[in-house]
Amino acid sequence: MSDTEDVEQAGFDAIADSAQKLYPGQEGLFYRTVIPYALGGNDPLDGVEVWKSERGIPHWHYITYGFSELYEKESNNEAESGYGFELTFRLKRGPEEEPPAWPVNLLQNLARYVFSTGNVFGPGHHINCNGPIALETDTKITALGFRRDPEMGELDTRNGHLRFLQAVGITSDEMDALMCWNGEKFLAALEKNLPLCITDLARSSQMENAAFQKTWQTGMEEDGSSTSYLYIDKVEMALEEERAYLCLGVGHGRTLSNMLRARVGKGRDLYLYGAEVAIQFLPGDAAATVEDDLLILSLPEHVLAELSMVLQRHTGVYPLSSFPLTIELVPTEITDQNGKVLEVIE
């Protein structure tokens, strides 16, 4: 191989060498993209390599190639390679001889999100997959949290620095809990019960574990939340005659209540976004104003306490006694990916 060829795939080789050092004597299975993204293909990643690991519990270890610059240096950022990371995913291994292909599709979908929006992942981040992470699978794992892969770590290449982020499968209530605490600390606590945070599609939520829930509750109360925003697709707001109105599904009320206590209760602001709505909650003297279609609610401690309590109630209309704000909680429908209603929370 010539020096020019070596430079042109320096990033690719650096990842491959790092994986080979972790799994000496083993040959990884490489799922290569058929039509490159640069030539009009649908898959942004050049490929995903899978390794067989016995650490923690037997599992498949998926490693991406393509978030970083694999070949020639193209970006102006000399310090980082491409987006500055590659993703990994660890899946509990069953009796199968070959690794399942669906995680490859999952990782490509994450790449489509990053490449189309420019939003990058980092330690402590999360994303809602809006359904089972493995399609047509009876699993409670419907979201992902991100942490530093403890074995792959970070890497310096000729194209810049990158770190390996592990995508961890979590349940919807675990995602809500992660948002209300520090994401990295939440996943670190999760690892104490789930070795290497290996994704197990058959597992139940750790929020059903009393000891884990106590750890989360204590952490949330001590640290507050590192997440500054909450998105709810169906939320409405208005400010009429100096009184604010907020309408949302009762199923989201408890999460918003926890987020408010973990953000505003710790002296930080919280943004609530809907499809056409933006609300900022912040600590301070009681006030409700609108600036550029943003409803700003300033909440002293006694108002925050009442609002947090109201948000945990059932369907109904609740005017606050301590603040010119009325909360309307409406039934929340839980649906599958086809829109079929599975449950109604009232």
Side-chain angles (χ1 to χ4, degrees):
M1 180 180 294
S2 69
D3 290 342
T4 301
E5 289 173 333
D6 183 45
V7 170
E8 287 180 349
Q9 62 176 29
F12 190 105
D13 289 343
I15 298 171
D17 291 345
S18 183
Q20 190 65 67
K21 289 177 182 177
L22 183 60
Y23 298 103
Q26 185 181 154
E27 184 175 346
L29 179 62
F30 196 84
Y31 288 85
R32 186 176 296 279
T33 298
V34 177
I35 303 176
Y37 195 66
L39 297 179
N42 293 321
D43 296 331
L45 302 176
D46 276 34
V48 177
E49 193 168 27
V50 191
W51 300 83
K52 199 172 185 178
S53 177
E54 306 299 331
R55 301 178 181 90
I57 59 175
H59 66 279
W60 300 108
H61 192 186
Y62 297 73
I63 302 172
T64 67
Y65 288 71
F67 287 101
S68 62
E69 292 168 293
L70 303 177
Y71 308 107
E72 295 181 348
K73 182 67 178 177
E74 296 180 358
S75 71
N76 295 324
N77 186 344
E78 296 297 326
E80 289 190 340
S81 175
Y83 289 107
F85 68 90
E86 291 288 352
L87 290 180
T88 73
F89 181 74
R90 298 174 184 267
L91 177 66
K92 182 179 179 180
R93 200 167 75 237
E96 71 276 359
E97 293 297 324
E98 297 290 329
W102 66 261
V104 177
N105 296 324
L106 174 68
L107 292 166
Q108 289 284 10
N109 283 333
L110 293 174
R112 291 186 190 98
Y113 167 77
V114 172
F115 276 63
S116 63
T117 65
N119 297 330
V120 298
F121 299 117
H125 290 187
H126 67 276
I127 189 169
N128 188 350
C129 298
N130 298 312
I133 62 172
L135 297 179
E136 300 180 0
T137 301
D138 184 17
T139 178
K140 295 182 179 179
I141 307 299
T142 59
L144 296 168
F146 297 88
R147 68 167 196 155
R148 294 177 178 85
D149 188 301
E151 294 186 316
M152 293 296 290
E154 303 190 13
L155 187 62
D156 286 313
T157 76
R158 295 188 187 180
N159 292 332
H161 187 79
L162 68 92
R163 57 187 172 186
F164 292 92
L165 293 176
Q166 179 185 348
V168 180
I170 56 178
T171 64
S172 61
D173 58 343
E174 288 171 350
M175 184 191 74
D176 290 343
L178 179 152
M179 293 168 58
C180 296
W181 189 18
N182 178 288
E184 292 186 82
K185 290 184 177 181
F186 181 92
L187 293 174
L190 197 69
E191 186 176 18
K192 294 180 180 179
N193 296 336
L194 306 175
L196 287 173
C197 281
I198 295 166
T199 296
D200 178 1
L201 295 181
R203 76 172 179 86
S204 59
S205 170
Q206 285 297 306
M207 298 307 293
E208 299 173 7
N209 180 319
F212 181 84
Q213 190 172 63
K214 183 178 180 180
T215 297
W216 165 75
Q217 187 73 39
T218 300
M220 181 181 66
E221 292 174 355
E222 291 180 353
D223 302 328
S225 170
S226 59
T227 304
S228 60
Y229 69 93
L230 174 64
Y231 179 84
I232 301 175
D233 54 351
K234 296 181 180 179
V235 59
E236 299 176 4
M237 68 88 171
L239 182 60
E240 301 174 359
E241 297 180 355
E242 297 184 354
R243 187 168 191 88
Y245 293 84
L246 177 61
C247 176
L248 71 156
V250 66
H252 302 294
R254 184 173 294 276
T255 300
L256 178 56
S257 175
N258 286 333
M259 288 288 288
L260 285 170
R261 290 188 288 111
R263 291 291 301 182
V264 180
K266 294 295 183 180
R268 309 163 190 165
D269 59 354
L270 172 69
Y271 287 88
L272 172 63
Y273 294 107
E276 300 178 353
V277 169
I279 304 170
Q280 181 188 21
F281 300 91
L282 69 163
D285 296 333
T289 58
V290 174
E291 295 182 8
D292 298 327
D293 296 325
L294 173 69
L295 174 62
I296 303 173
L297 300 178
S298 180
L299 309 175
E301 290 184 9
H302 69 285
V303 175
L304 176 62
E306 183 183 8
L307 176 57
S308 298
M309 180 182 66
V310 164
L311 286 168
Q312 299 184 57
R313 293 179 178 173
H314 296 288
T315 301
V317 178
Y318 305 98
L320 269 62
S321 62
S322 60
F323 190 76
L325 172 65
T326 296
I327 302 294
E328 181 179 3
L329 299 175
V330 297
T332 299
E333 293 184 345
I334 306 299
T335 62
D336 61 17
Q337 291 184 320
N338 297 319
K340 179 182 177 181
V341 177
L342 302 176
E343 180 184 1
V344 178
I345 303 176
E346 298 182 318

